[in-house]
Amino acid sequence: MSKESLANLLKEERRFTPPAELAAAANVTAEAYDRAAEDRLGFWAAQARRLSWDTEPTETLDWSNPPFAKWFKDGKLNVAYNCVDRHVEAGHGDRVAIHFEGEPGDTRTLTYAELQREVAKAAHALTELGVRAGDRVAVYMPMIPETLITMLACARLGAPHSLVFGGFSADALATRIQDADARVVVTADGGYRRGKPSALKPAVDEALTKPGTENVRKVLVVRRTGQDIGWTEGRDIWWHDLVDRQPEQHDYEVFDAEHPLFILYTSGTTGKPKGILHTSGGYLTQVSYTHHAVFDLKPETDVYWCTADVGWVTGHSYIVYGPMSNGATQVLYEGTPDTPHQGRWWEIVEKYKVTLLYTAPTAIRTCMKWGDEIPARYDLSSLRLLGSVGEPINPEAWVWYREHIGGGRTPVVDTWWQTETGSIMISPLPGVTEAKPGSAQVPLPGISATVVDDEGREVPNGSGGYLVLTEPWPSMLRTVWGDDQRYKDTYWSRFEGRYFAGDGAKKDEDGDIWLLGRVDDVMLVSGHNISTTEVESALVSHPKVAEAAVVGATDPQTTQAICAFVILRGDAAEDASLADELRAHVAKTLGPIAKPKRILAVAELPKTRSGKIMRRLLRDVAENRTLGDVTTLTDSSVMDLIQQKLAAAPASSDD
């Protein structure tokens, strides 16, 4: 499809009806909204019955001490049993659970029966290391099957895991080990990234020299790359030496529905990461149901692939617990989308006949930048559903994704949720929703969300404000680990009795919800609230722009000035008129008030290994401040180049 055709499609056809064949066989129909509206708690009780309980719950929700929820509190279950054993017992042991694709090209396939044996051995190994129910286990791993096996083994033992993304520094790892008081660390010598081994064990060794990590008894190490690594006798032990000799059967324990399942740390405004605590029964109920509903999973025939790193919440909920509780067959890929070539993702889709694909808007825009011809080389006809997650998706990327990856026929489910919410909250339902490119649309059945103004009043259709959740939900965080007051202050103090998500949003004339990004990404320009997401969407709708990141920088005249950083499409040239051309385009699209004061064409944007743009670093540059932590960036040298170029770039005088 040409750029002109794409622009016409965006202009002329803003809605996409579900394919008739998919709608006719969809897992969830419009009737689910009615059932949930009539009896919200009854609806969630019904979804809990999709799981296998050792003791069936009789009470759905205890909200007697808000904002501290207890879901299914008298029920007992084992999360790992629900994700593995019950599928084997149901006769699906020979179904593939994981198609692993290593970045160097090595592969491994695990059926559910094989996964059951590996989880059992890992559970015995952790027990031998002294892990008991309630002990925390830190996991600092690449995207390999042993990572998932470790998570499931922890769940089997009732030992909350704390995954730390493999791109984090030793200091960041140490902080998380300290806060969770982890007793065991599971890691690897390294993983493969961008065509070469990337070490992990050295960061663990350094982290464990920091004060507050003394309670770590053992470090269990997977040999993945064969790199030379440091070794502490008596503390460090190889996975293959310990795990491989364990029994292949393990008797699982049962735990209360409110037993902690995992802690996952997310950034805090004070600089100290927040340990988001998720528990077992409610979390598993909602991730299982939403994966079934939003992705329309048919476990007998679908091959599902979520491209997120398992170290983020998307990997927890939609690589491990959601898909596996539903008996899904999925792809696990270790590396980057452009190693060894820019068609690697599409090669994997073709190889495994992937039917359901879930990825981030940043990745989609990167693929757009690389060119339409790359995915066109591969057979992507197996795909029947596409999803996006991580940040608002601009309409052009939505349509490109559907047209060039989905062949112009697949639904696109644009999902909104957070580490704190645990699972998807707002999303189209693929067999029900007439989709609008760029809109998350409506809360899922059983979820209560709306948009309010500064005073907490619900805004009318056509207006914007703050996204809030008005009723508790099963997969909600239970607290901030070790700090109940921070939990209340951070999430429940802005609007009384309502969870404030920290995101801005607007309702369109139909009442559908459009996410505008984090509230701290809403700029105040001459008294006008302007969303960075809307300006970014306007910029990438220009045919010369592949990707954009926008920040607000302090300005004495306008409170904040809009600064834009853009990556040009391959055939676009940077010339003296580019900035004026783009500013005029934004003014025409959004209005003169939204024109960026500065526009800088850059070769790359600062991104984490998960593909998130680090806008706070761009804000540091725009305000001429010392850069914050750059350890999570894929390539920290990007910031040096941006700083140098911005220093030489003049600001526009047309304001």
Side-chain angles (χ1 to χ4, degrees), residues 21 32 38 173 202 246-247 252 301 361 387 417 430 440 542 581 593-594:
E21 184 179 353
E38 290 168 6
L173 173 60
Q246 301 294 334
Y252 70 89
T301 54
W417 59 295
H542 189 283
E581 182 180 347
I593 192 66

Side-chain angles (χ1 to χ4, degrees), residues 204-275:
V204 175
D205 293 339
E206 183 181 346
L208 295 183
T209 66
K210 310 289 183 183
T213 63
E214 298 84 2
N215 286 334
V216 172
R217 298 185 294 254
K218 297 289 183 180
V219 177
L220 184 59
V221 187
V222 176
R223 180 179 285 157
R224 168 62 182 147
T225 63
Q227 296 166 273
D228 290 332
I229 56 173
W231 201 258
T232 300
E233 290 297 334
R235 185 197 72 184
D236 298 348
I237 184 167
W238 285 111
W239 177 283
H240 56 269
D241 285 341
L242 177 64
V243 177
D244 289 356
R245 61 176 171 78
Q246 301 294 334
E248 294 184 345
Q249 289 82 37
H250 180 270
D251 294 329
Y252 70 89
E253 297 179 63
V254 298
F255 299 100
D256 292 342
E258 285 297 313
H259 187 82
L261 178 61
F262 66 85
I263 305 164
L264 186 58
Y265 287 85
T266 187
S267 298
T269 54
T270 64
K272 180 186 177 183
K274 303 186 296 289

Side-chain angles (χ1 to χ4, degrees), residues 393-406:
I393 185 170
N394 55 292
E396 185 183 44
W398 192 106
V399 172
W400 186 91
Y401 191 29
R402 183 182 187 273
E403 294 300 310
H404 290 278
I405 307 306

Side-chain angles (χ1 to χ4, degrees), residues 167-180:
F168 279 156
S169 66
D171 284 342
L173 173 60
T175 298
R176 288 154 173 80
I177 290 173
Q178 293 159 1
D179 192 72

Side-chain angles (χ1 to χ4, degrees), residues 544-622:
K544 290 185 179 179
V545 178
E547 192 163 4
V550 168
V551 297
T554 301
D555 184 274
Q557 279 77 43
T558 61
T559 307
Q560 286 186 297
I562 301 173
C563 296
F565 302 81
V566 301
I567 298 176
L568 301 181
R569 289 183 180 269
D571 56 353
E574 182 182 356
D575 54 36
S577 65
L578 176 69
D580 288 340
E581 182 180 347
L582 295 181
R583 293 178 80 248
H585 178 73
V586 172
K588 183 178 179 182
T589 305
L590 293 178
I593 192 66
K595 287 190 296 185
K597 186 169 186 177
R598 282 187 166 182
I599 296 180
L600 194 70
V602 296
E604 189 51 86
L605 293 167
K607 296 175 184 174
T608 67
R609 291 184 180 182
S610 66
K612 288 226 177 201
I613 299 170
M614 296 292 283
R615 290 173 178 81
R616 64 171 174 80
L617 295 177
L618 295 175
R619 195 176 297 111
D620 288 343
V621 170

Side-chain angles (χ1 to χ4, degrees), residues 2-14:
S2 69
K3 294 174 193 170
E4 293 76 16
S5 299
L6 184 60
N8 288 336
L9 187 57
L10 274 165
K11 189 183 301 178
E12 296 168 8
E13 187 180 357
R14 303 291 300 190

